[in-house]
Amino acid sequence: MDKKVKVVPCSGIGKVFGLMAREAALKTVIELCPEKSETVCLAYIVTGDKEVKGKIEGFDCITVDGCPKMCASKNVSAAGGIVKEDIKVLDTVKDHKGKKFVSPTVLDADGELVISEIAKKIKERIIGIN
Ligand code: SF4
């Protein structure tokens, strides 16, 4: 059985916090926890792709969302994923008041710092699950 935790970020195209969600998820699955985690595309989950649904349904997932609409968390749950933690980018951003993080496509050093902090939170949760 596939024991890797699925880390699913929201899409958030055109929003800096959506970019942060995606970058934090990728940093986690590629750099921090490649043996224990993987990611899947939220768009495939939303459109009901059978292969991706098979990776989500009944499996442990961590979602990462860029705004209170919580698109990743809601859609992973609707697809049958077990959301062990729904990470909110804003929870980490609020510790960095006054920073702009540049743009929805490019992050500055402050943005990279936020991503690292979020990725660390995701890693700690993955370790707690496994
Ligand atoms: S959670 Fe917010 S930022 Fe992310 S895809 Fe949904 S609306 Fe966009």
Side-chain angles (χ1 to χ4, degrees):
M1 180 186 271
D2 184 357
K3 300 283 279 182
K4 284 188 174 181
V5 176
K6 310 300 181 281
V7 181
V8 184
C10 76
S11 301
I13 301 297
K15 295 182 180 179
V16 67
F17 298 149
L19 173 63
M20 287 175 161
R22 294 195 304 280
E23 291 293 318
L26 289 174
K27 187 175 185 70
T28 305
V29 303
I30 294 172
E31 294 179 24
L32 303 183
C33 299
E35 308 295 327
K36 296 175 183 280
S37 65
E38 64 180 338
T39 191
V40 296
C41 178
L42 182 63
Y44 276 135
I45 296 172
V46 172
T47 56
D49 181 89
K50 280 188 182 156
E51 184 181 338
V52 169
K53 188 172 169 62
K55 286 182 165 228
I56 293 288
E57 197 167 23
F59 290 103
D60 292 337
C61 302
I62 295 173
T63 55
V64 194
D65 277 301
C67 85
K69 290 191 183 297
M70 303 292 286
C71 296
S73 180
K74 288 176 185 171
N75 283 288
V76 167
S77 290
I82 302 165
V83 179
K84 292 285 193 176
E85 180 96 31
D86 44 10
I87 303 270
K88 302 167 187 72
V89 169
L90 293 175
D91 284 347
T92 302
V93 166
K94 71 184 179 191
D95 296 331
H96 299 264
K97 281 192 178 129
K99 305 284 172 55
K100 286 200 164 61
F101 315 116
V102 183
S103 80
T105 54
V106 181
L107 297 173
D108 63 7
D110 291 320
E112 294 292 341
L113 178 61
V114 170
I115 285 170
S116 292
E117 290 179 9
I118 295 170
K120 190 173 166 210
K121 289 179 185 176
I122 302 169
K123 177 185 176 184
E124 286 168 0
R125 193 66 180 92
I126 290 169
I127 290 170
I129 292 170
N130 282 302

